[in-house]
């Protein structure tokens, strides 16, 4: 049996927490594939190494801070690691015009090498394994093809007699998260992308379990900042995606998409409280009826309300699809309720795009009314909870502008001024 473990940036932030990570890995000899994030924040006011790397483009002096972060870790772990050799290579590559993704990926690359050295595992560069297409999407077919040779090599290494280190009795390998390659060039998976790397590695290795070690216990029904909230022992991939898209920062939603391909269970665990239960993310969450799994929300300000005031011509949804096709508007979410539609626009949408969209609609039917609204969204995840939620909000005089009920979740639109109050009253009634 193989387990893949991904450790987040807080755990990799400093030598002391990295030692905890090593303890967790060596405690179970099925923990073979280890995926790491770059060192994150050591305290509230600290900066993540990835953010320092982004800044280093404009402020070259930041390279000293980045080097210091790694020197502190190497000294704290008491290992023999030539950090200057690594930095010289990075500067050489930069002088030779290497792409920006390469630079930002160096946090994961360096911590991967350092941790591999510390624990006595092999380092495998994600550039050799994780393949992306020209649009930056994961190419699982190419990744599987590419990884076969390398993984065979490492499987051979795993079954060989070469001892790894005093620290670990078993062997494994370390893969830096957050990046892969496209045409032999480093390509990033996007912020929080190491979760996706872990899911990809689990898929390639047909791992029994993907353990995602983070700095919280798992998925709570409410953001724990609102107060004590219930931890979900189990949730479904779909529910985890919904909650992640509506504010939960536990897991990257795309990691659930990848894990669901082979139905690999994801277990969220807290590196700083490893004996706590955690949350298991699986295909189905056979929960009792009327159970609230979670509440999330997004404060939106770019919402377009489209109203069709008459019954003339095509249905609203058909006209909308046509107008969207004619314009460059990017829509995150679309809710159609009778003769009203609400389009949640991405921040990339410009006024020019909106005007093209309006014009396209008016060309079909000049009576269309398109208005910008300041609405926020609340996502309630769980079954048979919508009636209770709506009556709680009604009793507090909170107007629900629209609702869209799906099998496992409900989306509510409220005025942005009512957003915080809505979450609070829902919390006090459901928690
Ligand atoms: N280090 C990257 C970030 O800060 C990737 C990750 O942690 O998953 O977004």
């Amino acid at each position: 049996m193989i387990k893949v473990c991904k450790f987040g940036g807080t755990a990799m932030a400093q030598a002391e927490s990295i030692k905890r990570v090593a303890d967790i890995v060596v405690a179970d000899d099925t923990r073979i594939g280890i995926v790491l994030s770059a060192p994150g924040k050591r305290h509230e006011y600290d900066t993540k190494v990835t953010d320092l790397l982004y800044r280093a483009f404009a402020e070259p002096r930041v390279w000293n801070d980045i080097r210091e972060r790694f020197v502190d870790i190497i000294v704290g772990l008491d290992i023999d690691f030539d950090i200057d050799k690594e930095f010289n290579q990075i500067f050489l590559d930069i002088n030779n015009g290497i792409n920006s993704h390469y630079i930002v990926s160096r946090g994961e690359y360096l911590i991967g090498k350092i941790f591999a050295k510390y624990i006595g595992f092999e380092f495998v560069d994600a550039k050799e394994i994780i393949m992306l297409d020209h649009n930056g999407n994961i190419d699982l077919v190419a990744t599987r093809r590419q990884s076969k040779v390398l993984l065979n090599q490492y499987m051979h290494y795993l079954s060989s007699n070469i001892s790894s280190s005093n620290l670990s009795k078993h062997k494994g390998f370390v893969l830096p998260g957050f990046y892969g390659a496209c045409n032999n060039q480093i390509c990033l998976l996007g912020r929080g992308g190491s979760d996706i790397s872990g899911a990809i590695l689990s898929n390639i290795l047909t791992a029994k379990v993907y353990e995602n070690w983070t700095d919280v216990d798992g998925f709570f029904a409410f953001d724990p900042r609102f107060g004590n909230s219930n931890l979900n022992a189990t949730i479904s991939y779909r529910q985890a995606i919904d909650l992640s898209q509506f504010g939960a920062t536990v897991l990257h939603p795309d990691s659930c998409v990848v894990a669901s391909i082979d139905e690999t269970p994801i277990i969220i665990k807290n590196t700083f409280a490893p004996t706590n239960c955690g949350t298991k993310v699986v295909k189905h969450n056979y929960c009792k009826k009327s159970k609230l799994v979670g509440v999330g929300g997004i404060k939106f300000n770019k919402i377009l309300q489209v109203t069709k005031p008459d019954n003339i011509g095509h249905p609203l949804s058909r006209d909308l699809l046509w107008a969207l096709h004619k314009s460059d508007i990017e829509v995150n979410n679309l809710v159609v309720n009778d003769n009203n539609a609400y389009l949640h626009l991405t921040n990339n949408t410009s006024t020019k795009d909106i005007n093209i969209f309006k014009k396209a609609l008016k060309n079909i039917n000049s009576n269309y009314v398109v208005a910008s609204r300041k609405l926020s969204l609340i996502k309630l995840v769980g079954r048979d909870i919508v009636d209770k939620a709506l009556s709680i909000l009604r009793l507090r005089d909170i107007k629900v502008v629209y609702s869209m009920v799906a099998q496992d979740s409900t989306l509510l639109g409220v005025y942005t001024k009512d957003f915080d109050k809505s979450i609070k009253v829902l919390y006090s009634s459901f928690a």
Side-chain angles (χ1 to χ4, degrees), residues 13 107 261 321:
I261 297 171
L321 290 176

Side-chain angles (χ1 to χ4, degrees), residues 1-50:
M1 162 158 123
I2 291 180
K3 280 184 190 163
V4 166
C5 302
K6 179 257 166 178
F7 292 89
T10 315
M12 303 315 293
Q14 49 198 332
E16 280 320 299
S17 49
I18 294 175
K19 287 178 187 170
R20 277 172 181 269
V21 169
D23 289 343
I24 291 170
V25 174
V26 301
D28 180 344
D29 62 9
T30 62
R31 292 181 176 137
I32 285 174
I34 311 301
V35 176
L36 302 177
S37 281
K41 291 183 180 192
R42 291 161 293 184
H43 49 81
E44 205 188 330
Y45 304 104
D46 202 8
T47 310
K48 293 176 172 189
V49 164
T50 305

Side-chain angles (χ1 to χ4, degrees), residues 6 9 37-38 48 50-51 108 178 190-195:
K6 179 257 166 178
S37 281
K48 293 176 172 189
T50 305
D51 290 316
E108 270 74 9
F178 189 38
R191 294 310 299 260
S194 303
D195 286 341

